[in-house]
Amino acid sequence: MEKQNVTIYDVAHQAGVSMATVSRVVNGNPNVRPKTREKVMKVIKELNYHPNVIARGLASKRTRYIGVLLPDITNPYYSSLALGIDDIANMYEYNIILANADPEHDAAGVESLIMKQVDGIIFIGNSISQEARQKISAAGRPCVFTDLIDPEATMPTINIDVEDAYYQVTKDFLANGKKRIALVGSDQGFKVSQSRQLQGYEKALTEAGHAVNEDLLIAAKSPSYDSGYALYETFTEIEADAAIATDDTIAIGLLNALLDNGVKVPEEVEIMASDNSSIVNMSRPELSSIAPPIYDIGAVAMRALTKLMENETLDTDLKLPYQIIKGGTTS
Amino acid sequence: MEKQNVTIYDVAHQAGVSMATVSRVVNGNPNVRPKTREKVMKVIKELNYHPNVIARGLASKRTRYIGVLLPDITNPYYSSLALGIDDIANMYEYNIILANADPEHDAAGVESLIMKQVDGIIFIGNSISQEARQKISAAGRPCVFTDLIDPEATMPTINIDVEDAYYQVTKDFLANGKKRIALVGSDQGFKVSQSRQLQGYEKALTEAGHAVNEDLLIAAKSPSYDSGYALYETFTEIEADAAIATDDTIAIGLLNALLDNGVKVPEEVEIMASDNSSIVNMSRPELSSIAPPIYDIGAVAMRALTKLMENETLDTDLKLPYQIIKGGTTS
DNA sequence: CTGTTAGCGCTTTCAC
DNA sequence: GTGAAAGCGCTAACAG
């Protein structure tokens, strides 16, 4: 319980300068004579002064907090993304504050973040509600999207070229003779929203002269292992011979459900996952997966946000390179 | 970009009362005539007023932020814990802010949280550095520990009875004829610190008339799948016939390494994990595991912290009930 | 029950 | 280059 409250005033007093000068030193304002700066620095060290972030926030109207909305922090894909964001945020001396935002509660999440006076927002997920999107606009806060495209197309989106990835994967499946390729989403949204995933998938089918079969578009209740596992019945009914899952936890759930029921993977059914998150090698066989540069996506998103907050403009659609990792669930 | 700055003053003015009254209404202070309260509420709605959290923090010296330090958010055990914490935090209108704190950087983590003026801290991990612990004391902030015991024994620790769990598991292994039971830690710390895990393990061995064999205490580099997988060589050398892993990711890593090398689990080696986190059923066979009530631990920890912040006192060592889940990696 | 009055610790014009 | 002073929006005594 040592001296808890060295203020800028104490430093100013002790150094024989004004608060304004101390403030300048602390904030790296160049308009300070080197000698003065040095003296102030010394006192800051001596007194172990740390600026009060709250007071600073009040006075400057900027908090250096940025809000990150994501569907589920226990999903390894999202938590890894958060890590990339956090690293860059620290680099720019921003702090991140996480908020869970499944599709039902994203508006509440946005609102709570805005009330916390965050300087900017990173929105991660498959979809955003109109209401949530409006609140972001209304608050006039910069925002960067990841995974999904900004429905208003005014804020940047960071991701791989999802459409291309799904196109490639679907094409490969077709080339390998697959006739019934299922697209397995993590919620119902991907069907209605004409997601990029669906577009890439459709493009490959169309090119090969096939139409999209609605039956083959199925969705888990949520992006989780159990929801994936629970898909077994549905999946069996549609008699698919291949599946592309939009989420790794769903992919592993489905894989294990198939294996547990004696279905051979990849011989009878091939599976492609989408995140290459930390769990893809926990199953046997290991999951094949589209491999987005997860950490980089987070990092680039955060970097983009810092630019936005400094009123720079950027491209609205940044596409990072991806790979396709061959595990044991595809041939 | 609607009206961004309705202040308490605007509300007061519009409602024909003083700022103080508005403040009282907003903070649920009972000393307001119902009629007045109603009037103020109405104006608040009309103007869509939201109190500025920052200003409130400055004036009240409490931010309603609590800092959560954990080793790795991408580890499912820790992220689930964070979820339990977050839920209760929201209930009490606290916000959590996460900080990564592996053993090397915990002091920096604590410091950054304190600079952010958090009202309290929850520390999660196997160990805490002296420096970090001191900073917490120095800041005079309440703190709750999870997983580890407060080295100064002044702040509460929330966990299952780890010693008992390890005692039981070890005893069961012995009863099943296991001769060489390895204890697999997630870092070197658990050996030196005479962790509760080690104590339970030792107790069971001693009771059975055996001594602890130092060779059988091994540690992964970090709590991660890869570190667990990399343990294969070491593990083979010690010729263990059973293993208790302190972390699920390590357990799965080790399991898969054994399987990939043709070792039969559980026939030749049995494995017991410790977290029963979301990944235990991703492997085949599924992991057997000690099952702490993860969500509850987080929830209870957060609840305990709220009590501490209200200057209530509590027991310093809360032990929650646990189970042992029989998967396929034990007989 | 309600209003007045100080600040909380810092940033930021605006003079000097 | 540096200082004085006016807030940022709110809470918390203290009166009444």
Side-chain angles (χ1 to χ4, degrees):
Chain A
M1 201 79 86
E2 53 185 25
K3 60 173 77 171
Q4 181 50 37
N5 23 24
V6 259
T7 76
I8 198 171
Y9 174 82
D10 299 325
V11 177
H13 185 76
Q14 177 82 19
V17 299
S18 74
M19 288 164 50
T21 300
V22 178
S23 176
R24 289 190 187 98
V25 170
V26 170
N27 292 297
N29 184 316
N31 291 343
V32 181
R33 191 149 41 95
K35 201 124 190 201
T36 314
R37 174 184 308 280
E38 217 170 280
K39 188 172 56 183
V40 173
M41 294 281 239
K42 187 156 156 281
V43 176
I44 288 180
K45 274 263 153 57
E46 277 173 21
L47 268 44
N48 188 30
Y49 165 73
H50 292 289
N52 181 318
V53 190
I54 305 294
R56 202 205 295 254
L58 222 209
S60 67
K61 311 279 242 167
R62 311 183 340 111
T63 58
R64 302 202 80 81
Y65 274 101
I66 79 112
V68 176
L69 283 153
L70 40 73
D72 179 4
I73 189 65
T74 67
N75 183 305
Y77 172 69
Y78 295 123
S79 57
S80 300
L81 219 40
L83 217 53
I85 293 173
D86 196 43
D87 276 3
I88 305 303
N90 286 330
M91 196 171 298
Y92 285 89
E93 294 182 49
Y94 280 97
N95 307 116
I96 79 172
I97 139 164
L98 256 38
N100 269 57
D102 48 293
E104 321 266 279
H105 307 102
D106 57 354
V110 169
E111 174 156 358
S112 89
L113 287 180
I114 289 173
M115 279 182 51
K116 287 164 201 158
Q117 331 286 326
V118 295
D119 292 341
I121 290 176
I122 296 182
F123 192 101
I124 305 170
N126 305 307
S127 58
I128 182 171
S129 69
Q130 271 230 323
E131 197 188 346
R133 183 62 187 83
Q134 271 168 1
K135 280 182 195 288
I136 294 174
S137 294
R141 296 284 193 298
C143 180
V144 168
F145 290 83
T146 279
D147 279 24
L148 79 167
I149 313 167
D150 176 14
E152 296 187 4
T154 85
M155 305 288 189
T157 293
I158 320 290
N159 206 340
I160 61 170
D161 188 338
V162 176
E163 184 179 339
D164 184 62
Y166 274 65
Y167 168 73
Q168 294 295 344
V169 170
T170 308
K171 212 170 80 168
D172 289 351
F173 273 148
L174 290 170
N176 284 330
K178 298 298 168 191
K179 302 290 182 210
R180 295 182 63 81
I181 306 164
L183 195 56
V184 184
S186 61
D187 64 54
Q188 303 300 329
F190 84 107
K191 279 195 266 186
V192 263
S193 67
Q194 270 298 97
S195 63
R196 290 182 170 188
Q197 285 88 345
L198 189 48
Q199 282 166 21
Y201 170 81
E202 186 163 6
K203 183 175 165 202
L205 287 176
T206 309
E207 275 190 14
H210 304 301
V212 171
N213 181 340
E214 283 283 335
D215 295 347
L216 293 174
L217 309 180
I218 62 178
K221 275 217 281 291
S222 66
S224 69
Y225 177 88
D226 290 340
S227 300
Y229 199 94
L231 239 32
Y232 176 70
E233 296 255 303
T234 316
F235 193 82
T236 310
E237 279 168 16
I238 62 174
E239 298 185 319
D241 51 13
I244 317 175
T246 62
D247 180 280
D248 284 356
T249 59
I250 290 178
I252 288 205
L254 179 59
L255 168 64
N256 279 346
L258 292 173
L259 295 175
D260 290 353
N261 285 284
V263 178
K264 297 219 180 337
V265 179
E267 293 80 359
E268 301 173 42
V269 175
E270 297 195 12
I271 298 178
M272 178 68 69
S274 295
D275 302 332
N276 191 40
S277 67
S278 59
I279 58 174
V280 293
N281 41 24
M282 291 189 183
S283 64
R284 289 294 174 271
E286 298 186 9
L287 281 173
S288 294
S289 180
I290 296 168
I294 308 186
Y295 180 91
D296 292 355
I297 292 179
V300 170
M302 184 60 219
R303 181 65 185 108
L305 188 58
T306 64
K307 287 187 180 169
L308 235 46
M309 292 187 295
E310 284 156 8
N311 294 313
E312 297 179 41
T313 49
L314 333 63
D315 295 340
T316 56
D317 200 355
L318 295 178
K319 284 174 182 155
L320 271 44
Y322 69 92
Q323 291 186 283
I324 292 180
I325 302 286
K326 170 119 191 38
T329 57
T330 56
S331 61
Chain B
M1 200 78 86
E2 54 185 24
K3 60 174 74 170
Q4 181 51 39
N5 22 24
V6 257
T7 77
I8 198 170
Y9 175 81
D10 300 325
V11 177
H13 186 76
Q14 178 82 18
V17 299
S18 73
M19 289 164 50
T21 301
V22 178
S23 177
R24 288 190 189 99
V25 171
V26 170
N27 293 297
N29 185 317
N31 293 341
V32 182
R33 191 150 43 94
K35 202 124 190 202
T36 314
R37 175 185 305 282
E38 218 171 279
K39 189 172 55 182
V40 172
M41 293 283 237
K42 188 155 155 283
V43 176
I44 288 181
K45 273 263 153 58
E46 278 172 22
L47 268 45
N48 189 28
Y49 165 73
H50 292 288
N52 181 317
V53 190
I54 305 294
R56 198 202 297 249
L58 223 208
S60 68
K61 314 278 248 166
R62 309 176 349 106
T63 58
R64 301 202 80 80
Y65 274 101
I66 80 112
V68 176
L69 283 152
L70 40 74
D72 179 3
I73 189 65
T74 67
N75 183 305
Y77 172 69
Y78 295 124
S79 57
S80 301
L81 219 40
L83 217 53
I85 293 173
D86 196 42
D87 275 4
I88 304 303
N90 285 329
M91 195 169 299
Y92 286 88
E93 294 182 49
Y94 280 97
N95 307 115
I96 79 171
I97 141 165
L98 256 39
N100 269 57
D102 49 292
E104 321 264 277
H105 307 101
D106 57 354
V110 169
E111 176 157 359
S112 89
L113 286 179
I114 289 173
M115 280 181 50
K116 288 163 201 159
Q117 332 284 324
V118 295
D119 292 341
I121 289 175
I122 296 182
F123 193 102
I124 305 170
N126 305 307
S127 59
I128 182 173
S129 69
Q130 272 230 323
E131 198 189 347
R133 183 62 187 83
Q134 272 168 1
K135 279 182 196 287
I136 293 174
S137 293
R141 295 286 192 298
C143 179
V144 168
F145 290 83
T146 279
D147 279 23
L148 80 166
I149 313 167
D150 176 14
E152 295 186 4
T154 86
M155 304 288 188
T157 292
I158 320 290
N159 207 341
I160 62 169
D161 189 338
V162 176
E163 182 178 340
D164 184 61
Y166 274 65
Y167 168 73
Q168 294 295 345
V169 169
T170 308
K171 212 169 82 169
D172 288 351
F173 273 148
L174 289 170
N176 284 330
K178 297 300 168 190
K179 303 288 181 214
R180 295 182 63 80
I181 306 164
L183 195 55
V184 184
S186 62
D187 63 55
Q188 303 300 330
F190 84 108
K191 279 195 266 186
V192 263
S193 67
Q194 270 298 96
S195 63
R196 288 181 172 190
Q197 285 86 342
L198 189 49
Q199 282 167 21
Y201 170 82
E202 184 162 8
K203 183 174 166 206
L205 286 176
T206 308
E207 274 189 17
H210 304 301
V212 171
N213 181 340
E214 284 283 335
D215 295 345
L216 293 173
L217 310 180
I218 62 179
K221 275 216 281 290
S222 66
S224 69
Y225 177 88
D226 290 340
S227 300
Y229 199 95
L231 238 35
Y232 176 71
E233 296 255 301
T234 316
F235 193 80
T236 309
E237 279 169 15
I238 62 174
E239 299 185 319
D241 52 13
I244 317 175
T246 61
D247 180 279
D248 285 357
T249 59
I250 291 178
I252 287 206
L254 179 59
L255 168 62
N256 279 347
L258 292 172
L259 295 175
D260 290 352
N261 285 283
V263 177
K264 299 219 180 336
V265 180
E267 293 79 359
E268 300 174 43
V269 175
E270 297 195 11
I271 297 178
M272 179 67 70
S274 295
D275 302 331
N276 191 40
S277 66
S278 59
I279 58 173
V280 293
N281 40 24
M282 291 190 183
S283 64
R284 288 295 175 272
E286 297 186 10
L287 280 173
S288 294
S289 180
I290 297 167
I294 307 186
Y295 180 92
D296 292 355
I297 292 179
V300 170
M302 183 61 219
R303 180 66 186 106
L305 188 59
T306 64
K307 288 188 179 165
L308 234 46
M309 291 187 295
E310 284 157 7
N311 295 313
E312 296 179 41
T313 48
L314 334 63
D315 295 340
T316 56
D317 201 355
L318 295 178
K319 284 174 182 156
L320 271 44
Y322 69 93
Q323 292 186 284
I324 293 181
I325 303 286
K326 171 123 189 32
T329 58
T330 55
S331 63

